[in-house]
């Protein structure tokens, strides 16, 4: 159990070249290991490419290449002893459609879970994806973590649920060039007193920079506004004086307030 977690937030290149994506991800994982990160967080569809804009139809996804890429990433995670969260299309058993997922790979190289996007857009569910159904909390060194993808940032109930489940940090991955996503992530983090790790592809780096938001809702670190691959080393520190109020006062008080028990009057 620790009070501090070192993360690497990767603003990676995301292309239709799955083999190239895999090599690039493994290079970033190596860089993350070099700066002492326990966890690296990568964008939506970082391995498979973003199907709606980079693959014209579902038949164009090479699932064998996706499988090989996952194997390479798992082996790199094992060698570096680093946790890895990577976006990828998730093939389901027929006749089910694929899911838009974040694969969670432990520091021993084992795929421990996948977070499947629960709230899909209209174009998602009418063209390519099916929806996931539940939260998927995992723990790293005493920090409880869960995930969110793309338009889920616009659904406050996702982050409200995570606060109720005692999640410390939400890793949010998106393939999006809308600066509002960062603003909404700040609101979700600050309202629920959670850390928010935000990552988008390098191609959107001038519009939405990847970075870390604190439980007080303020940005703690961000990538440069450049369309380049970047790796951001950040620390989640439960003992930080700047976060004392958010973590030890605001969060428990808001939980009491939401329960309404403190507002009950005597009969």
């Amino acid at each position: 159990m620790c009070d501090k977690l070192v993360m690497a937030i990767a603003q990676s290149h995301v292309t239709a070249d799955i083999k190239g994506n895999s090599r690039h991800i493994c290079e970033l994982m190596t860089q993350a290991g070099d700066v002492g990160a326990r966890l690296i967080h990568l964008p939506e569809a970082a391995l498979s490419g973003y199907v709606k804009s980079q693959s014209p139809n579902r038949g164009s996804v090479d699932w064998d290449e996706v499988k090989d890429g996952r194997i390479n990433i798992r082996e790199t995670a094992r060698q570096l002893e680093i946790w890895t969260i990577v976006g990828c299309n998730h093939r389901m058993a027929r006749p089910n459609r694929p899911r838009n997922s974040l694969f969670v790979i432990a520091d021993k190289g084992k795929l421990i879970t996948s977070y499947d996007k629960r709230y899909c857009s209209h174009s998602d569910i009418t063209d390519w994806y099916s929806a996931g159904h539940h939260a998927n909390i995992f723990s790293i060194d005493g920090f409880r973590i869960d995930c969110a993808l793309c338009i889920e940032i616009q659904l406050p109930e996702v982050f409200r649920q995570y606060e109720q489940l005692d999640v410390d940090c939400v890793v949010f991955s998106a393939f999006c060039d809308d600066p509002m996503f960062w603003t909404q992530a700040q609101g979700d983090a600050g309202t629920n007193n959670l850390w928010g790790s935000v990552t988008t592809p390098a191609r959107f780096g001038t519009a939405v920079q990847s970075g870390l938001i604190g439980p007080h809702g303020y940005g703690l670190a961000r990538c440069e506004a450049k369309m380049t691959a970047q790796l951001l080393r950040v620390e989640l520190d439960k003992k930080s004086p700047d976060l004392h109020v958010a973590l030890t006062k605001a969060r428990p008080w808001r939980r009491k307030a939401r329960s309404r028990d403190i507002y009950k009057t005597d009969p």
Side-chain angles (χ1 to χ4, degrees):
M1 299 289 288
C2 301
D3 292 323
K4 186 178 292 186
L5 178 66
V6 178
M7 284 183 61
I9 301 173
Q11 186 168 282
S12 66
H13 292 297
V14 180
T15 74
D17 178 4
I18 298 172
K19 290 182 179 179
N21 290 341
S22 175
R23 289 191 297 268
H24 179 49
I25 289 167
C26 291
E27 290 169 358
L28 289 169
M29 292 170 68
T30 299
Q31 293 177 31
D34 289 342
V35 298
R38 284 283 288 141
L39 164 67
I40 181 171
H41 172 208
L42 292 128
E44 179 180 16
L47 175 58
S48 61
Y50 192 65
V51 68
K52 289 196 288 186
S53 65
Q54 296 179 326
S55 299
N57 58 69
R58 69 184 69 180
S60 67
V61 175
D62 190 324
W63 293 110
D64 289 333
E65 287 190 1
V66 169
K67 180 180 178 181
D68 290 343
R70 284 172 54 184
I71 291 172
N72 291 338
I73 294 169
R74 288 178 59 186
E75 176 59 19
T76 302
R78 185 191 68 79
Q79 292 177 2
L80 298 173
E81 296 185 341
I82 187 171
W83 285 74
T84 304
I85 301 174
V86 56
C88 188
N89 280 261
H90 187 182
R91 192 180 193 182
M92 308 301 291
R94 293 182 179 179
N96 299 301
R97 292 180 174 183
R99 291 180 178 171
N100 186 356
S101 301
L102 289 171
F103 290 117
V104 180
I105 300 166
D107 55 356
K108 302 302 181 185
K110 181 180 179 181
L111 176 66
I112 63 164
T113 191
S114 68
Y115 175 79
D116 302 325
K117 183 179 175 184
R118 293 182 282 165
Y119 294 91
C120 296
S121 68
H122 175 74
S123 60
D124 283 344
I125 60 174
T126 56
D127 179 52
W128 173 255
Y129 290 119
S130 59
H133 303 292
H134 52 80
N136 236 340
I137 299 169
F138 54 98
S139 295
I140 303 176
D141 299 344
F143 282 77
R144 287 169 61 82
I145 301 172
D146 213 322
C147 309
L149 277 161
C150 198
I151 65 166
E152 291 182 328
I153 201 68
Q154 298 167 338
L155 296 162
E157 56 266 36
V158 172
F159 297 84
R160 176 76 184 95
Q161 180 192 29
Y162 290 153
E163 189 281 327
Q164 293 174 319
L165 294 172
D166 291 320
V167 167
D168 297 299
C169 176
V170 178
V171 291
F172 169 65
S173 297
F175 190 96
C176 179
D177 60 357
D178 187 349
M180 182 57 69
F181 272 35
W182 175 266
T183 302
Q184 290 174 301
Q186 285 188 280
D188 289 326
T191 299
N192 296 288
N193 303 121
L194 306 161
W195 276 278
S197 175
V198 178
T199 182
T200 57
R203 65 187 290 179
F204 303 133
T206 56
V208 188
Q209 297 84 53
S210 303
L212 181 69
I213 300 165
H216 48 14
Y218 292 93
L220 297 176
R222 292 191 80 176
C223 289
E224 296 181 60
K226 297 179 179 179
M227 296 172 65
T228 57
Q230 299 175 57
L231 190 81
L232 191 65
R233 182 190 185 277
V234 299
E235 293 185 357
L236 281 61
D237 186 357
K238 293 180 180 179
K239 298 297 185 180
S240 170
D242 292 338
L243 304 177
H244 177 73
V245 171
L247 292 176
T248 68
K249 299 182 183 300
R251 184 163 178 171
W253 176 259
R254 290 176 189 176
R255 182 172 290 185
K256 289 180 180 179
R258 286 167 176 147
S259 74
R260 301 294 301 175
D261 289 342
I262 58 174
Y263 303 117
K264 291 180 179 179
T265 57
D266 293 332

